[in-house]
Amino acid sequence: MTYRPTLRAHVHVEGDQLVDGLLQRRYPLEGAAAALAPVLDGIAEWSTIRSTLVASGHIDEDVDAALRRLLLLHAVEGAGDQLVAKLGRVVRREEAVPTSILDGARFGCQGSGACCQGYAFGPLTDDDVAGLDALDLATAFPHVEPPYVEANDGGRYLRRTGVRCVFLGDDQRCGLHARFGADAKPSFCRLYPLDSFGTIEGIRVVDRGSCATFAISSRVGLPLVDDLDRVRPLLNPPLLHHPLALVDGWAWDYGLFLRFTTAATTLIRRNLGTASETLHAIGRCLDALTVATARCPLEPGQPDAIVSAVLAIADASWYRAPRDEAAARGARTLGTLLRAFGRALTAAIDEGRAGASSARLGELAVLIDHTAGALATHGGRATAAAVPAAEIDQALRISLRQQLFGRHVLVGGHAGAGLVRIGVIQLLALAGARIDAGDRIDAVDLNRGHMLATRGFYSGILDDVLVAHEPSWRELLDGLSLATRLPYLDAESRD
Ligand code: SF4
């Protein structure tokens, strides 16, 4: 087949950068890619371009890799045509995308009041502030001294008393809600813990997982589909979230990455293994995609065709436990990672970077320290799987789906680090449960660890540590598959 690759009309080269005029982004061009991109004019044949670049001193593998990098960015015609066409329609507002939620997603507030403590409550919108100004707060809250709103870091926030919102009552209920009704609350309170963001597949509305009663609220709460009429007006005009996804140093267009996460969330629904086994299986799938795309044929229709072929592999074949020695090695690397998390949290708290979350992050640091200690004691031994109770596994499976569907699936753009973060959240939820409740844990016992871990990890304070360990993501997933199975967090790990 004659292949005459050409850059897309909205992509051009400026100096040593590739400029994407559709997304208003620039990518650095280095080595063979810098020589290749300017000559992709749709006239010269690929074989001629390749031999010319090799003759000028470039290594043939580097020239092939340079074209693959452009294909994975969907910068060349014939690569991701349908996705790019849709992206263009969405960016130009020629096509509206629907609201998109996970099948079966639920949320129901259990009234713990924990989400009204230990946070920065805002930023408030102009409408939020105007709404508060219109209320007779002085009469309703005679014990609360105004002001009710304070400026901080360029935004406006509800004032706190200690770690608590000034409107949180002693009964752990919202005073604004109790006295004036649900609509009197600022919009972020009415939306919490839901997050929303725009993708080319839809405006995603997803539980961010940081509710203090997650294992209940996400399993028995109101079906999200039945709450959408209330939720939709609260969604900010969603900006299109379309970052690059980085996998082993390769940059993928986000549309390509969405194909992987959609396959992953579908796999979770098939109940072929535990939540932990399924995360490991998803890691195997990402690994296979990475290997396949890094070698994809250089022809029109790639890398889409190779991605389709990998995703068509039978789901059950991704479930293969790591060998004992690989799991034990991974567990040791995981211990190193946990220690690094602990140091990063302590530093953030000591240096005042944790802000309103410092108490929660301090609790998280203690939980991580216990987990790392127990892992060091027991983690080198691969033992028979301790199969979690069905309700525990269901809660962890929901958490896994939500995180893969959510905005924070990548860490600093990195996909492998994102999977590790999800696995560590699973581990800390289980570890917290075993520390609090011993060997006979229920789903509700997951709540504390899950809440602390999601709050801590989504604060961004641990992102640098995760990114620094990104090269070990496969090994860490092997270690997590062991660590989440070990019955090691027993009484001896407790204070
Ligand atoms: S206004 Fe109500 S819901 Fe919002 S943080 Fe304060 S107590 Fe919680």
Side-chain angles (χ1 to χ4, degrees), residues 113 115-117 121 158 165-169 173-177 185-186 188-190:
C115 57
C116 307
Q117 304 174 52
F121 304 112
L158 296 176
C165 170
V166 290
F167 298 119
L168 181 62
R173 299 288 176 150
C174 172
L176 286 177
H177 189 142
K185 294 184 289 189
F188 73 89
C189 298
R190 284 178 276 157

Side-chain angles (χ1 to χ4, degrees), residues 146-178:
Y148 308 100
V149 172
E150 60 190 5
N152 205 351
D153 288 339
R156 291 161 298 177
Y157 295 79
L158 296 176
R159 196 163 62 76
R160 284 182 280 131
T161 305
V163 298
R164 298 166 65 90
C165 170
V166 290
F167 298 119
L168 181 62
D170 292 340
D171 59 357
Q172 310 303 330
R173 299 288 176 150
C174 172
L176 286 177
H177 189 142

Side-chain angles (χ1 to χ4, degrees), residues 92-181:
R92 292 190 295 271
R93 298 183 184 276
E94 296 165 5
E95 178 175 329
V97 292
T99 304
S100 171
I101 61 173
L102 283 169
D103 286 348
R106 291 173 175 268
F107 177 74
C109 177
Q110 305 298 304
S112 72
C115 57
C116 307
Q117 304 174 52
Y119 274 119
F121 304 112
L124 300 168
T125 65
D126 289 345
D127 285 349
D128 291 332
V129 174
L132 290 170
D133 285 346
L135 301 174
D136 184 0
L137 298 175
T139 302
F141 302 97
H143 56 290
V144 179
E145 285 286 319
Y148 308 100
V149 172
E150 60 190 5
N152 205 351
D153 288 339
R156 291 161 298 177
Y157 295 79
L158 296 176
R159 196 163 62 76
R160 284 182 280 131
T161 305
V163 298
R164 298 166 65 90
C165 170
V166 290
F167 298 119
L168 181 62
D170 292 340
D171 59 357
Q172 310 303 330
R173 299 288 176 150
C174 172
L176 286 177
H177 189 142
R179 290 167 179 78
F180 300 105

